[in-house]
Amino acid sequence: MILAVLFTNTEGNILVERFHGVPSEERLHWRSFLVKLGAENLKGTKNEELLVASHKSVFVVYTMLGDVCIYVIGKDEYDELALAEVIFVITSSVKDVCGKPPSERLFLDHYGKICLCLDEIIWKGMLENTDKDRIRRLIRLKAPADI
Amino acid sequence: MSITSSLANFLRPCSDFRISCGDPVAVRHAMAIITDIATRDPNSVAMALGKHIEHGGALHDILRLHDVLARLCLARLCYVLCRARALDERPGIKFQFTSLLYQLLLDPSDRVCFEAMFCILGKFDNTERTEERAAGWIRLTREVLKLPEAPSVTLKDASVKLNREKRASKAKHPQPLMKLVIRRLESSFRSFSRPVLHAAARVVQEMGKSRAAAYALGVQVDEAMQLHSSENDDPPDSQLMGSSKSAESHKTLFPSTGPGGIDTIASLLASLLEVVRTTVACECVYVRAMVIKALIWMQNPHESFEELGSIIASELSDPAWPSTQLNDILLTLHARFKATPDMAVTLLEIARIFATKVPGKIDADVLQLLWKTCLAGAGPEGKHTALEAVTIVLDLPPPQPGSRLGLVSVDRVSASDPKSALALQRLVQAAVWFLGENANYAASEYAWESATPPATALMMLDADKMVAAASSRNPTLAGALTRLQRCAFSGSWEVRIVAAQALMTIAIRSGEPYRLQIYEFLHALSLGGVQSQFSQSHFSNGEDQGASGTGIGSLINSMLKVLDEMYRAQDDLIRDMRNHDNNNQEWTDEELKKLYENHEKLLDLASLFCFVPRAKYLPLGPTSAKLIDIYRNRHNIGASTGLNDPAVATGISDLVYESKAAHMEPETIDPELAMAWAAGLDDDLLGTNAPALKKVNEFLAGAGIEAPDIEEEDESLMSRPSVVYDDLWAKSFLETDEPEEDDGRSSGTSSPESTGSVETSISSHFGGLGYPSLFSSRPSGYGVSQNWENKSGNDATRFSNASSTFEAADYPVREETPPPPSYASAVLGRFDTFENPLAGSGAQSFGSQEEDRSSQNPQSGKALYDFTAGGDDELSLTAGEEVEIDDEVDGWYYVKKKRPGRDGRMAGLVPVLYISSSS
């Protein structure tokens, strides 16, 4: 189960979040935990360098893409490597949508498309589409016959 | 069974279709479904997949599919089918799936390869089965791979081609599975990606677990054995059955030639571990933690642990380690111990490094759990070592404020800031308590099994002679006593109290001359002035030492009183017996009755201080046994009736709430002290929870009564908190003006928060079972602790454990949570409101206007918004729900629903603003 996907800017303000199967009262804790984790570790990392945190069977993989931090939390079958896979798909489609590693401004400009991508990539806490081209086709918002 | 098989039949056409169709997502989901069915009905799935498993079949196509998760599912499916007992009579099919699984080891994706390794090691889902893990280790070490020739299919992409080439080259020379796996892991450890490092360390950890499981089952895998490329026909499971025999034959067949260019399991493992150790240099603490855990699991009981010890010691000097990770490693030590009890000494040594290096970061409860398990499992000769490891914590010098020198040796304590100094003190308290509770067990010295008659002890009243006799007879107990005595006058006030209590526990439980020795000591302590006599280098921490010099005179007096009474009764008994003997007189029933009553009374008194087995314990000395037996037989009092005694059955703390407590209380508690505590409780309103106060409460409530020799019963005794908090709360709520209320509170020195001591706080750290919120900071109390042991092993609930320990990482945010701030403060606040409604309500913002009517007659209301309960006493609501408002306190309504909600609760607290009251 992919428990959460979170995008923040470098100050730790949340840009996009998707939770799956996390009770509402816990989300606040996850948010602050992730932001704290990022603030402590993401300084000076390279673009798309993957960082990892874990506790028992809950794994967190996070990275920095342009000015945007991306966090993915998973458990059980979504271990650190599977999450690395997920985050790779996410970063590649974000880059695809924005054309380059996004600044915060660029990210917000393409906010809608990024959300659509995210919904194609993760569906109900499961990794769904991984192919970049396929995702691009799916978010064109054309009638289904065209796909 | 029929349902699943028909489901399999139903799914067969569609999964056939999907497996052969090109959509990777569809294939992935189809594989997931098939795997799920296969766990339930392996036979029909294997039959259904019969033609796909052959060379060039659909399942082999998945190997080339560009979708990691699909191949992952394939690995799991293969594992499920090749270990299925239902397929035992079809070795051909099993073999095909097994070889497919081994092919997945060569997968270019680390994820798939590692999953295949997990499967081979016997870690499939979260259930841990020792046999399966052991079989996994045997499979790993014995199996030789002969991969089939690559099927001639056109290659699609480069990675697959590479893979294929590799496989083709491997296929020529049969390879030991072990070698293949270890080479792959080693190359993964050279990766720069942190997730890969983390995952590889995890695989090594699982490997260690499987190895430990094999070791625990007594399966001898000769690790010096040369890995040979000859065919090995036995499937691993059948080897496990005749494990010892086959191991023998292997040993004789392949005498260990040792490392010398030839690969042995030992040399392969050594080179792997070397690579693992270098990974400790990784920047990320999570990776390092996983590596340390892997090393702990790979540690064998016979190997020296110096290397591991030095790695851990140097790691702990790094201030970047979060305390959750450290506690997690301690729990790993605990799990490692459970897997291999022989390692108790090694593990305690490692735990000692933690206690000395980072006392501020580790949880005393976790450490105590480790101590306790090790002590119980260490066996007779290990007990002394185990206890020594605990006492080392006590030998730590108190942290010197302001000294921030570099930490050189392992034994130096690093507690430079006040927070860690406080934590160190808590650790010392825990150690002292532990010592008191378990010294008798470790030393195997019990009053009820003591050989020395009391009279001999009375003859050795000379203190020096007594100490000499004591230490020669039982060095373990004597050592523990010395340390406790030192703590009783040189620690801080909190430590002294616990030390006095610990000494009393040992005094009651052990026979002479120890009891007398402690009696002497306590006596001297209560008179004061003992410090100068006992210690020249007394560390003063600036506290007022009090009139007695220790500040615990009032506590010691009550202990002395009990001991006095015991000795007096013993003297009386001896005198009476002598009289009877001299006069050749039989004991009359009247006299026996008096004796028996005296015996029972002393038992009750002793039980107030610590647990003693009532059936066996003889406060009047061993000589009284015969007389008491006579009386019991004559009056048909079974010795076992003692078990029905509340003090034994429910723990001493419950006694506090019974009638006996009423007269015992003034004895144990100095009224002035009680006032001070009451004041302290009020301070709690500010949300602080002074550990000192907690400790005192714990101590006075007699928490942690425990009988070391009956582990099982003891667990259930300990884990029972003295008072069901909800009951107390509900009672106080409904009958607001009950006069006992005040009583309940001041005797609430045994505040339920603290009485659960170890167990409760552990469970609050690791999440309550079935407790909806993973992040709740409340101790969910009752019953949880029993489950905790099981739960820690049960990985199905691992998530809840995990995230609530995240919570322990001290969020700054926790204060902002919508439900009321802290349990203690909220509840105490409510108490206050009841006691003086006029004063209390004035201060409250919403409460005041509605107070008058709401307290009189119940009014009805309607939920305005959804509300999710944040704690046990709160009630979840959905918007629009009709409720009956019972009462209103501090901005919270106590409401009743018309029918129970989804959580089955009818009544509870909700915030005032969530309810529109329609009066």
Side-chain angles (χ1 to χ4, degrees), chain B residues 818-820 846 864-869 874-875 877 888-895 908-916:
Chain B
F846 325 98
L864 291 172
Y865 323 102
D866 284 352
F867 174 65
T868 314
E874 289 164 25
L875 184 68
L877 284 180
E888 191 269 327
V889 194
D890 289 3
W892 291 77
Y893 277 139
Y894 187 82
V895 300
L909 292 170
V910 290
V912 164
L913 289 179
Y914 280 66
I915 304 285
S916 76

PDB file of all heavy atoms in Angstrom, chain B residues 818-820 846 864-869 874-875 877 888-895 908-916:
ATOM      1  N   PRO B 818      -6.113  18.530  17.941  1.00  0.00           N
ATOM      2  CA  PRO B 818      -7.411  19.048  18.375  1.00  0.00           C
ATOM      3  C   PRO B 818      -7.917  18.503  19.697  1.00  0.00           C
ATOM      4  O   PRO B 818      -8.390  19.271  20.507  1.00  0.00           O
ATOM      5  CB  PRO B 818      -8.332  18.696  17.212  1.00  0.00           C
ATOM      6  CG  PRO B 818      -7.560  17.847  16.278  1.00  0.00           C
ATOM      7  CD  PRO B 818      -6.125  18.031  16.580  1.00  0.00           C
ATOM      8  N   PRO B 819      -7.830  17.173  19.988  1.00  0.00           N
ATOM      9  CA  PRO B 819      -8.340  16.694  21.273  1.00  0.00           C
ATOM     10  C   PRO B 819      -7.593  17.309  22.447  1.00  0.00           C
ATOM     11  O   PRO B 819      -6.521  17.872  22.240  1.00  0.00           O
ATOM     12  CB  PRO B 819      -8.085  15.179  21.213  1.00  0.00           C
ATOM     13  CG  PRO B 819      -7.854  14.876  19.790  1.00  0.00           C
ATOM     14  CD  PRO B 819      -7.328  16.093  19.166  1.00  0.00           C
ATOM     15  N   PRO B 820      -8.155  17.183  23.637  1.00  0.00           N
ATOM     16  CA  PRO B 820      -7.608  17.936  24.758  1.00  0.00           C
ATOM     17  C   PRO B 820      -6.154  17.590  25.032  1.00  0.00           C
ATOM     18  O   PRO B 820      -5.708  16.503  24.700  1.00  0.00           O
ATOM     19  CB  PRO B 820      -8.484  17.488  25.932  1.00  0.00           C
ATOM     20  CG  PRO B 820      -9.048  16.198  25.507  1.00  0.00           C
ATOM     21  CD  PRO B 820      -9.219  16.286  24.042  1.00  0.00           C
ATOM     22  N   PHE B 846     -16.582  28.622  27.627  1.00  0.00           N
ATOM     23  CA  PHE B 846     -17.958  28.353  27.214  1.00  0.00           C
ATOM     24  C   PHE B 846     -18.816  27.928  28.378  1.00  0.00           C
ATOM     25  O   PHE B 846     -19.977  28.210  28.418  1.00  0.00           O
ATOM     26  CB  PHE B 846     -18.046  27.214  26.207  1.00  0.00           C
ATOM     27  CG  PHE B 846     -16.923  27.133  25.268  1.00  0.00           C
ATOM     28  CD1 PHE B 846     -15.888  26.259  25.487  1.00  0.00           C
ATOM     29  CD2 PHE B 846     -16.912  27.951  24.151  1.00  0.00           C
ATOM     30  CE1 PHE B 846     -14.860  26.185  24.598  1.00  0.00           C
ATOM     31  CE2 PHE B 846     -15.871  27.871  23.268  1.00  0.00           C
ATOM     32  CZ  PHE B 846     -14.838  26.993  23.484  1.00  0.00           C
ATOM     33  N   LEU B 864     -23.244  18.868  14.805  1.00  0.00           N
ATOM     34  CA  LEU B 864     -23.129  19.782  13.678  1.00  0.00           C
ATOM     35  C   LEU B 864     -22.149  19.259  12.640  1.00  0.00           C
ATOM     36  O   LEU B 864     -22.346  19.416  11.443  1.00  0.00           O
ATOM     37  CB  LEU B 864     -22.656  21.146  14.173  1.00  0.00           C
ATOM     38  CG  LEU B 864     -23.652  21.931  15.008  1.00  0.00           C
ATOM     39  CD1 LEU B 864     -23.007  23.158  15.589  1.00  0.00           C
ATOM     40  CD2 LEU B 864     -24.839  22.315  14.152  1.00  0.00           C
ATOM     41  N   TYR B 865     -21.060  18.657  13.132  1.00  0.00           N
ATOM     42  CA  TYR B 865     -20.023  18.172  12.215  1.00  0.00           C
ATOM     43  C   TYR B 865     -19.636  16.753  12.610  1.00  0.00           C
ATOM     44  O   TYR B 865     -19.987  16.275  13.676  1.00  0.00           O
ATOM     45  CB  TYR B 865     -18.764  19.054  12.299  1.00  0.00           C
ATOM     46  CG  TYR B 865     -19.030  20.502  12.496  1.00  0.00           C
ATOM     47  CD1 TYR B 865     -18.896  21.095  13.742  1.00  0.00           C
ATOM     48  CD2 TYR B 865     -19.425  21.283  11.411  1.00  0.00           C
ATOM     49  CE1 TYR B 865     -19.142  22.431  13.920  1.00  0.00           C
ATOM     50  CE2 TYR B 865     -19.668  22.629  11.588  1.00  0.00           C
ATOM     51  CZ  TYR B 865     -19.536  23.209  12.841  1.00  0.00           C
ATOM     52  OH  TYR B 865     -19.781  24.527  13.019  1.00  0.00           O
ATOM     53  N   ASP B 866     -18.888  16.145  11.718  1.00  0.00           N
ATOM     54  CA  ASP B 866     -18.293  14.842  12.051  1.00  0.00           C
ATOM     55  C   ASP B 866     -17.238  15.057  13.118  1.00  0.00           C
ATOM     56  O   ASP B 866     -16.507  16.046  13.080  1.00  0.00           O
ATOM     57  CB  ASP B 866     -17.608  14.226  10.823  1.00  0.00           C
ATOM     58  CG  ASP B 866     -18.638  13.663   9.865  1.00  0.00           C
ATOM     59  OD1 ASP B 866     -19.814  13.631  10.257  1.00  0.00           O
ATOM     60  OD2 ASP B 866     -18.255  13.286   8.750  1.00  0.00           O
ATOM     61  N   PHE B 867     -17.174  14.138  14.032  1.00  0.00           N
ATOM     62  CA  PHE B 867     -16.117  14.226  15.041  1.00  0.00           C
ATOM     63  C   PHE B 867     -15.509  12.834  15.235  1.00  0.00           C
ATOM     64  O   PHE B 867     -16.226  11.856  15.370  1.00  0.00           O
ATOM     65  CB  PHE B 867     -16.695  14.735  16.364  1.00  0.00           C
ATOM     66  CG  PHE B 867     -15.695  14.723  17.488  1.00  0.00           C
ATOM     67  CD1 PHE B 867     -14.574  15.550  17.445  1.00  0.00           C
ATOM     68  CD2 PHE B 867     -15.849  13.870  18.571  1.00  0.00           C
ATOM     69  CE1 PHE B 867     -13.642  15.541  18.469  1.00  0.00           C
ATOM     70  CE2 PHE B 867     -14.928  13.856  19.594  1.00  0.00           C
ATOM     71  CZ  PHE B 867     -13.822  14.698  19.548  1.00  0.00           C
ATOM     72  N   THR B 868     -14.203  12.782  15.190  1.00  0.00           N
ATOM     73  CA  THR B 868     -13.529  11.498  15.393  1.00  0.00           C
ATOM     74  C   THR B 868     -12.908  11.487  16.784  1.00  0.00           C
ATOM     75  O   THR B 868     -12.195  12.421  17.137  1.00  0.00           O
ATOM     76  CB  THR B 868     -12.419  11.310  14.350  1.00  0.00           C
ATOM     77  OG1 THR B 868     -12.930  11.664  13.081  1.00  0.00           O
ATOM     78  CG2 THR B 868     -11.955   9.871  14.341  1.00  0.00           C
ATOM     79  N   ALA B 869     -13.223  10.455  17.522  1.00  0.00           N
ATOM     80  CA  ALA B 869     -12.719  10.381  18.891  1.00  0.00           C
ATOM     81  C   ALA B 869     -11.208  10.338  18.886  1.00  0.00           C
ATOM     82  O   ALA B 869     -10.589   9.630  18.104  1.00  0.00           O
ATOM     83  CB  ALA B 869     -13.272   9.140  19.584  1.00  0.00           C
ATOM     84  N   GLU B 874     -13.509   9.655  24.495  1.00  0.00           N
ATOM     85  CA  GLU B 874     -14.237  10.492  23.568  1.00  0.00           C
ATOM     86  C   GLU B 874     -15.135   9.655  22.672  1.00  0.00           C
ATOM     87  O   GLU B 874     -14.986   8.441  22.589  1.00  0.00           O
ATOM     88  CB  GLU B 874     -13.255  11.317  22.734  1.00  0.00           C
ATOM     89  CG  GLU B 874     -12.604  12.382  23.579  1.00  0.00           C
ATOM     90  CD  GLU B 874     -11.374  12.956  22.911  1.00  0.00           C
ATOM     91  OE1 GLU B 874     -11.299  12.903  21.674  1.00  0.00           O
ATOM     92  OE2 GLU B 874     -10.496  13.450  23.621  1.00  0.00           O
ATOM     93  N   LEU B 875     -16.045  10.324  22.008  1.00  0.00           N
ATOM     94  CA  LEU B 875     -17.063   9.630  21.249  1.00  0.00           C
ATOM     95  C   LEU B 875     -17.060  10.158  19.819  1.00  0.00           C
ATOM     96  O   LEU B 875     -17.035  11.366  19.605  1.00  0.00           O
ATOM     97  CB  LEU B 875     -18.418   9.892  21.910  1.00  0.00           C
ATOM     98  CG  LEU B 875     -19.617   9.171  21.331  1.00  0.00           C
ATOM     99  CD1 LEU B 875     -19.502   7.698  21.593  1.00  0.00           C
ATOM    100  CD2 LEU B 875     -20.895   9.710  21.933  1.00  0.00           C
ATOM    101  N   LEU B 877     -18.695  11.076  16.281  1.00  0.00           N
ATOM    102  CA  LEU B 877     -20.036  11.499  15.877  1.00  0.00           C
ATOM    103  C   LEU B 877     -20.062  11.690  14.375  1.00  0.00           C
ATOM    104  O   LEU B 877     -19.046  12.039  13.764  1.00  0.00           O
ATOM    105  CB  LEU B 877     -20.387  12.837  16.531  1.00  0.00           C
ATOM    106  CG  LEU B 877     -20.762  12.865  17.999  1.00  0.00           C
ATOM    107  CD1 LEU B 877     -21.065  14.283  18.399  1.00  0.00           C
ATOM    108  CD2 LEU B 877     -21.955  11.982  18.259  1.00  0.00           C
ATOM    109  N   GLU B 888     -21.688  18.933  31.031  1.00  0.00           N
ATOM    110  CA  GLU B 888     -20.781  19.767  30.271  1.00  0.00           C
ATOM    111  C   GLU B 888     -19.622  20.164  31.164  1.00  0.00           C
ATOM    112  O   GLU B 888     -19.810  20.632  32.279  1.00  0.00           O
ATOM    113  CB  GLU B 888     -21.536  20.992  29.768  1.00  0.00           C
ATOM    114  CG  GLU B 888     -20.780  21.812  28.761  1.00  0.00           C
ATOM    115  CD  GLU B 888     -19.973  22.892  29.400  1.00  0.00           C
ATOM    116  OE1 GLU B 888     -20.418  23.410  30.428  1.00  0.00           O
ATOM    117  OE2 GLU B 888     -18.882  23.190  28.886  1.00  0.00           O
ATOM    118  N   VAL B 889     -18.435  19.911  30.710  1.00  0.00           N
ATOM    119  CA  VAL B 889     -17.242  20.245  31.488  1.00  0.00           C
ATOM    120  C   VAL B 889     -16.196  20.853  30.586  1.00  0.00           C
ATOM    121  O   VAL B 889     -15.838  20.266  29.564  1.00  0.00           O
ATOM    122  CB  VAL B 889     -16.613  18.974  32.105  1.00  0.00           C
ATOM    123  CG1 VAL B 889     -15.609  19.390  33.155  1.00  0.00           C
ATOM    124  CG2 VAL B 889     -17.649  18.069  32.668  1.00  0.00           C
ATOM    125  N   ASP B 890     -15.700  21.970  30.946  1.00  0.00           N
ATOM    126  CA  ASP B 890     -14.514  22.531  30.291  1.00  0.00           C
ATOM    127  C   ASP B 890     -14.593  22.530  28.775  1.00  0.00           C
ATOM    128  O   ASP B 890     -13.641  22.175  28.081  1.00  0.00           O
ATOM    129  CB  ASP B 890     -13.270  21.699  30.661  1.00  0.00           C
ATOM    130  CG  ASP B 890     -12.892  21.905  32.096  1.00  0.00           C
ATOM    131  OD1 ASP B 890     -13.633  22.627  32.771  1.00  0.00           O
ATOM    132  OD2 ASP B 890     -11.873  21.352  32.508  1.00  0.00           O
ATOM    133  N   GLY B 891     -15.708  22.879  28.237  1.00  0.00           N
ATOM    134  CA  GLY B 891     -15.793  22.914  26.790  1.00  0.00           C
ATOM    135  C   GLY B 891     -16.040  21.561  26.156  1.00  0.00           C
ATOM    136  O   GLY B 891     -15.915  21.408  24.955  1.00  0.00           O
ATOM    137  N   TRP B 892     -16.333  20.572  26.964  1.00  0.00           N
ATOM    138  CA  TRP B 892     -16.661  19.241  26.429  1.00  0.00           C
ATOM    139  C   TRP B 892     -18.031  18.831  26.961  1.00  0.00           C
ATOM    140  O   TRP B 892     -18.362  19.057  28.112  1.00  0.00           O
ATOM    141  CB  TRP B 892     -15.635  18.207  26.887  1.00  0.00           C
ATOM    142  CG  TRP B 892     -14.293  18.390  26.273  1.00  0.00           C
ATOM    143  CD1 TRP B 892     -13.368  19.315  26.614  1.00  0.00           C
ATOM    144  CD2 TRP B 892     -13.735  17.646  25.193  1.00  0.00           C
ATOM    145  NE1 TRP B 892     -12.268  19.187  25.816  1.00  0.00           N
ATOM    146  CE2 TRP B 892     -12.462  18.167  24.938  1.00  0.00           C
ATOM    147  CE3 TRP B 892     -14.200  16.574  24.418  1.00  0.00           C
ATOM    148  CZ2 TRP B 892     -11.639  17.669  23.935  1.00  0.00           C
ATOM    149  CZ3 TRP B 892     -13.377  16.072  23.429  1.00  0.00           C
ATOM    150  CH2 TRP B 892     -12.113  16.621  23.190  1.00  0.00           C
ATOM    151  N   TYR B 893     -18.820  18.233  26.086  1.00  0.00           N
ATOM    152  CA  TYR B 893     -20.083  17.645  26.504  1.00  0.00           C
ATOM    153  C   TYR B 893     -19.882  16.164  26.743  1.00  0.00           C
ATOM    154  O   TYR B 893     -19.187  15.514  25.961  1.00  0.00           O
ATOM    155  CB  TYR B 893     -21.139  17.776  25.414  1.00  0.00           C
ATOM    156  CG  TYR B 893     -21.853  19.094  25.369  1.00  0.00           C
ATOM    157  CD1 TYR B 893     -22.120  19.698  24.160  1.00  0.00           C
ATOM    158  CD2 TYR B 893     -22.279  19.718  26.536  1.00  0.00           C
ATOM    159  CE1 TYR B 893     -22.792  20.906  24.081  1.00  0.00           C
ATOM    160  CE2 TYR B 893     -22.945  20.920  26.464  1.00  0.00           C
ATOM    161  CZ  TYR B 893     -23.199  21.514  25.246  1.00  0.00           C
ATOM    162  OH  TYR B 893     -23.867  22.685  25.192  1.00  0.00           O
ATOM    163  N   TYR B 894     -20.501  15.656  27.795  1.00  0.00           N
ATOM    164  CA  TYR B 894     -20.603  14.209  27.923  1.00  0.00           C
ATOM    165  C   TYR B 894     -21.941  13.831  27.333  1.00  0.00           C
ATOM    166  O   TYR B 894     -22.988  14.208  27.879  1.00  0.00           O
ATOM    167  CB  TYR B 894     -20.508  13.793  29.393  1.00  0.00           C
ATOM    168  CG  TYR B 894     -20.430  12.311  29.557  1.00  0.00           C
ATOM    169  CD1 TYR B 894     -19.208  11.666  29.402  1.00  0.00           C
ATOM    170  CD2 TYR B 894     -21.550  11.560  29.846  1.00  0.00           C
ATOM    171  CE1 TYR B 894     -19.123  10.300  29.533  1.00  0.00           C
ATOM    172  CE2 TYR B 894     -21.478  10.201  29.983  1.00  0.00           C
ATOM    173  CZ  TYR B 894     -20.258   9.565  29.830  1.00  0.00           C
ATOM    174  OH  TYR B 894     -20.172   8.204  29.961  1.00  0.00           O
ATOM    175  N   VAL B 895     -21.958  13.138  26.216  1.00  0.00           N
ATOM    176  CA  VAL B 895     -23.217  12.877  25.525  1.00  0.00           C
ATOM    177  C   VAL B 895     -23.475  11.388  25.401  1.00  0.00           C
ATOM    178  O   VAL B 895     -22.563  10.574  25.475  1.00  0.00           O
ATOM    179  CB  VAL B 895     -23.219  13.504  24.111  1.00  0.00           C
ATOM    180  CG1 VAL B 895     -23.035  14.990  24.180  1.00  0.00           C
ATOM    181  CG2 VAL B 895     -22.157  12.868  23.246  1.00  0.00           C
ATOM    182  N   GLY B 908     -19.820   9.304  25.564  1.00  0.00           N
ATOM    183  CA  GLY B 908     -18.463   9.787  25.667  1.00  0.00           C
ATOM    184  C   GLY B 908     -18.418  11.293  25.538  1.00  0.00           C
ATOM    185  O   GLY B 908     -19.453  11.971  25.551  1.00  0.00           O
ATOM    186  N   LEU B 909     -17.218  11.816  25.416  1.00  0.00           N
ATOM    187  CA  LEU B 909     -17.030  13.250  25.388  1.00  0.00           C
ATOM    188  C   LEU B 909     -16.923  13.768  23.959  1.00  0.00           C
ATOM    189  O   LEU B 909     -16.307  13.122  23.110  1.00  0.00           O
ATOM    190  CB  LEU B 909     -15.755  13.612  26.137  1.00  0.00           C
ATOM    191  CG  LEU B 909     -15.804  13.368  27.640  1.00  0.00           C
ATOM    192  CD1 LEU B 909     -14.417  13.525  28.226  1.00  0.00           C
ATOM    193  CD2 LEU B 909     -16.756  14.336  28.289  1.00  0.00           C
ATOM    194  N   VAL B 910     -17.548  14.904  23.723  1.00  0.00           N
ATOM    195  CA  VAL B 910     -17.369  15.575  22.438  1.00  0.00           C
ATOM    196  C   VAL B 910     -17.201  17.063  22.711  1.00  0.00           C
ATOM    197  O   VAL B 910     -17.706  17.586  23.706  1.00  0.00           O
ATOM    198  CB  VAL B 910     -18.570  15.369  21.494  1.00  0.00           C
ATOM    199  CG1 VAL B 910     -18.638  13.946  21.016  1.00  0.00           C
ATOM    200  CG2 VAL B 910     -19.855  15.747  22.188  1.00  0.00           C
ATOM    201  N   PRO B 911     -16.518  17.770  21.852  1.00  0.00           N
ATOM    202  CA  PRO B 911     -16.352  19.207  22.068  1.00  0.00           C
ATOM    203  C   PRO B 911     -17.697  19.919  21.968  1.00  0.00           C
ATOM    204  O   PRO B 911     -18.545  19.559  21.151  1.00  0.00           O
ATOM    205  CB  PRO B 911     -15.428  19.640  20.927  1.00  0.00           C
ATOM    206  CG  PRO B 911     -14.816  18.418  20.408  1.00  0.00           C
ATOM    207  CD  PRO B 911     -15.765  17.304  20.685  1.00  0.00           C
ATOM    208  N   VAL B 912     -17.880  20.920  22.817  1.00  0.00           N
ATOM    209  CA  VAL B 912     -19.136  21.654  22.874  1.00  0.00           C
ATOM    210  C   VAL B 912     -19.505  22.228  21.513  1.00  0.00           C
ATOM    211  O   VAL B 912     -20.650  22.176  21.079  1.00  0.00           O
ATOM    212  CB  VAL B 912     -19.013  22.781  23.916  1.00  0.00           C
ATOM    213  CG1 VAL B 912     -20.105  23.790  23.743  1.00  0.00           C
ATOM    214  CG2 VAL B 912     -19.051  22.197  25.300  1.00  0.00           C
ATOM    215  N   LEU B 913     -18.486  22.714  20.800  1.00  0.00           N
ATOM    216  CA  LEU B 913     -18.773  23.418  19.561  1.00  0.00           C
ATOM    217  C   LEU B 913     -19.284  22.497  18.462  1.00  0.00           C
ATOM    218  O   LEU B 913     -19.792  22.956  17.448  1.00  0.00           O
ATOM    219  CB  LEU B 913     -17.521  24.131  19.070  1.00  0.00           C
ATOM    220  CG  LEU B 913     -17.119  25.330  19.921  1.00  0.00           C
ATOM    221  CD1 LEU B 913     -15.872  25.964  19.375  1.00  0.00           C
ATOM    222  CD2 LEU B 913     -18.248  26.337  19.963  1.00  0.00           C
ATOM    223  N   TYR B 914     -19.152  21.180  18.662  1.00  0.00           N
ATOM    224  CA  TYR B 914     -19.614  20.257  17.643  1.00  0.00           C
ATOM    225  C   TYR B 914     -21.092  19.941  17.805  1.00  0.00           C
ATOM    226  O   TYR B 914     -21.668  19.244  16.985  1.00  0.00           O
ATOM    227  CB  TYR B 914     -18.814  18.940  17.723  1.00  0.00           C
ATOM    228  CG  TYR B 914     -17.461  19.013  17.065  1.00  0.00           C
ATOM    229  CD1 TYR B 914     -16.478  19.839  17.573  1.00  0.00           C
ATOM    230  CD2 TYR B 914     -17.163  18.250  15.942  1.00  0.00           C
ATOM    231  CE1 TYR B 914     -15.233  19.916  16.981  1.00  0.00           C
ATOM    232  CE2 TYR B 914     -15.926  18.327  15.342  1.00  0.00           C
ATOM    233  CZ  TYR B 914     -14.953  19.158  15.860  1.00  0.00           C
ATOM    234  OH  TYR B 914     -13.725  19.229  15.279  1.00  0.00           O
ATOM    235  N   ILE B 915     -21.695  20.426  18.859  1.00  0.00           N
ATOM    236  CA  ILE B 915     -23.074  20.063  19.161  1.00  0.00           C
ATOM    237  C   ILE B 915     -23.927  21.332  19.187  1.00  0.00           C
ATOM    238  O   ILE B 915     -23.526  22.342  19.769  1.00  0.00           O
ATOM    239  CB  ILE B 915     -23.170  19.401  20.551  1.00  0.00           C
ATOM    240  CG1 ILE B 915     -22.250  18.194  20.656  1.00  0.00           C
ATOM    241  CG2 ILE B 915     -24.592  19.028  20.887  1.00  0.00           C
ATOM    242  CD1 ILE B 915     -22.742  16.997  19.929  1.00  0.00           C
ATOM    243  N   SER B 916     -25.062  21.267  18.531  1.00  0.00           N
ATOM    244  CA  SER B 916     -26.014  22.358  18.743  1.00  0.00           C
ATOM    245  C   SER B 916     -27.064  21.839  19.715  1.00  0.00           C
ATOM    246  O   SER B 916     -27.732  20.851  19.444  1.00  0.00           O
ATOM    247  CB  SER B 916     -26.641  22.762  17.416  1.00  0.00           C
ATOM    248  OG  SER B 916     -27.603  21.815  17.033  1.00  0.00           O
TER     249      SER B 916
END
